[in-house]
Amino acid sequence: MIDVAAAIIEKEGKFLIGKRKKGNHLENKWEFPGGKIESLETPEECLIRELKEELGITIEVGGIVAERIFNYSGKEIRLLGYRASYISGEPILNAHEEIKWISAEELNKFDFAEADLIFVEKLKRGLDTNVRWVKRGIKMPERELFRDRIHWAITLLASALGSCNRLLISSSAEKNKRIVGLSYNGSLPGQPHCDDVGHHMINGHCERTRHAEVNLISNTDEEKLKDSHVRALGTPCLKCLKDLAGVPVAWIEYTGYYNNQEFQPTPEMIKEIFGEDFKLLHRDIDWVELFQEIFDRLSGPGGIFNRLGYRIKLVKEPLEK
């Protein structure tokens, strides 16, 4: 699947649209500007880059407006539309035949590409502004953000079951807003654990255990794993990335870094090995903030801590080395 991002850019109550150049696919059709999301690039980073390259303007990207999947020339395309605010720069004609700032009331006067019609309808009805920031700069609708945090929390908690204390690792797979797979690093079934008998080291790596991503593939139904969103603690190794790409999963997010390996992903390396469509993203997470939000929710009306009559407050303290 190829991921493409579009920006619904607002300035003083008007929105920026561009007419596709003559000789291009869908020539003379109007669209919201954007482009293809590169490997290791978030949709927001893509839009900031594309708008600077194509139109010479700087924007601030806000919340997601809509998403749609369609087929073009035998390829499956996922189009993600994000609200954005104009910051600076005078728009230039580079990738478009013509550009205009228009009001929502003027949308019906323009012949939009079919893929962009979902954004046109959203603008006509008014955009949802119920969004908030997460650490890496993405804005999501409130409930989607909270679900994302819950799924990261579940992934982290599973790592406590890991049986190699050199590094406790876990991974999960989400599809259709549900966790469909969850696993951690551990020994083969029936074999002793590192925690019990020690590590089996080869070239600086413990080979007694299987990686969490390998166990995720083994323990998850293949159809459920296909096109899922995988979360992982630590940098996935090259072999695990290849195995996940072969499923194929839709995209992979990882948090933290695992430095005891030769492979550290770069956009160029990912593109060369896996191709243009493979998406691997790093995520910075404040775990205290994440779990505090969850505990605060459970201290509110209907929550278990509310019924028990107390709340939990988390404190971050440095470890003594």
Side-chain angles (χ1 to χ4, degrees):
M1 182 180 292
I2 300 174
D3 289 321
V4 176
I8 294 84
I9 307 166
E10 186 175 4
K11 176 187 175 185
E12 299 176 354
K14 294 194 174 185
F15 302 94
L16 186 63
I17 61 173
K19 181 192 282 188
R20 296 181 67 89
K21 280 189 172 182
K22 293 179 180 179
N24 290 349
H25 175 65
L26 298 177
E27 64 177 9
N28 295 324
K29 292 281 188 179
W30 291 85
E31 65 178 4
F32 295 96
K36 182 180 176 182
I37 303 171
E38 302 290 348
S39 296
L40 297 181
E41 187 177 53
T42 67
E44 293 78 6
E45 291 168 342
C46 165
L47 290 173
I48 290 170
R49 173 182 56 77
E50 288 281 355
L51 270 295
K52 177 61 73 173
E53 293 174 356
E54 290 189 1
L55 294 172
I57 64 173
T58 301
I59 62 169
E60 178 184 2
V61 183
I64 191 166
V65 173
E67 171 184 342
R68 66 165 299 186
I69 296 174
F70 59 96
N71 285 292
Y72 168 63
S73 298
K75 294 183 178 181
E76 196 169 37
I77 309 293
R78 174 164 44 202
L79 178 61
L80 304 164
Y82 284 79
R83 189 168 187 169
S85 298
Y86 168 83
I87 301 298
S88 64
E90 188 65 31
I92 58 175
L93 288 177
N94 186 9
H96 294 92
E97 190 78 23
E98 188 179 352
I99 52 178
K100 284 182 178 291
W101 290 98
I102 66 169
S103 66
E105 291 74 20
E106 297 175 286
L107 288 165
N108 287 333
K109 299 178 181 178
F110 297 86
D111 183 17
F112 280 89
E114 183 179 355
D116 287 61
L117 291 178
I118 187 172
F119 309 138
V120 172
E121 292 304 314
K122 286 280 187 178
L123 282 174
K124 288 179 181 178
R125 295 197 301 268
L127 295 178
D128 181 10
T129 58
N130 183 26
V131 296
R132 59 182 289 188
W133 290 101
V134 296
K135 279 294 180 181
R136 63 172 177 159
I138 294 177
K139 283 182 177 179
M140 299 179 184
E142 184 81 19
R143 187 165 179 81
E144 293 304 311
L145 169 59
F146 193 63
R147 180 183 288 107
D148 177 71
R149 291 192 164 204
I150 291 291
H151 288 179
W152 271 112
I154 292 170
T155 305
L156 176 68
L157 292 174
S159 70
L161 290 169
S163 62
C164 180
N165 61 13
R166 291 185 72 250
L167 193 67
L168 301 179
I169 289 294
S170 58
S171 62
S172 67
E174 174 193 341
K175 191 172 184 179
N176 298 326
K177 302 182 180 180
R178 301 289 184 270
I179 295 289
V180 296
L182 184 66
S183 204
Y184 49 88
N185 59 332
S187 300
L188 292 169
Q191 298 303 307
H193 298 297
C194 294
D195 292 350
D196 300 325
V197 299
H199 307 291
H200 186 79
M201 302 298 295
I202 299 177
N203 295 328
H205 298 273
C206 178
E207 298 295 343
R208 188 180 299 282
T209 60
R210 294 201 305 177
H211 291 186
E213 296 89 348
V214 175
N215 287 328
L216 180 70
I217 294 171
S218 298
N219 299 332
T220 307
D221 179 87
E222 184 177 353
E223 282 302 311
K224 291 181 179 179
L225 190 60
K226 184 178 180 181
D227 295 327
S228 65
H229 167 196
V230 171
R231 294 176 174 86
L233 301 186
T235 315
C237 72
L238 182 57
K239 183 180 184 304
C240 286
L241 284 176
K242 288 179 178 178
D243 290 343
L244 288 169
V247 172
V249 300
W251 57 302
I252 303 167
E253 278 190 301
Y254 66 99
T255 187
Y257 293 97
Y258 179 33
N259 295 320
N260 188 23
Q261 58 180 5
E262 296 77 16
F263 169 73
Q264 292 295 326
T266 64
E268 295 75 21
M269 182 186 297
I270 293 298
K271 186 179 297 185
E272 180 181 348
I273 296 174
F274 298 98
E276 296 279 346
D277 301 336
F278 190 76
K279 189 158 66 169
L280 175 68
L281 305 174
H282 180 260
R283 181 78 172 269
D284 290 318
I285 296 176
D286 184 326
W287 292 107
V288 171
E289 179 185 291
L290 183 147
F291 277 101
Q292 189 63 67
E293 182 176 356
I294 294 172
F295 289 150
D296 288 347
R297 166 71 169 159
L298 295 175
S299 300
I304 186 170
F305 302 136
N306 183 284
R307 298 196 300 274
L308 293 172
Y310 62 83
R311 69 175 64 251
I312 294 176
K313 288 294 182 184
L314 299 179
V315 178
K316 185 187 297 184
E317 295 182 344
L319 290 173
E320 294 183 6
K321 298 295 184 180

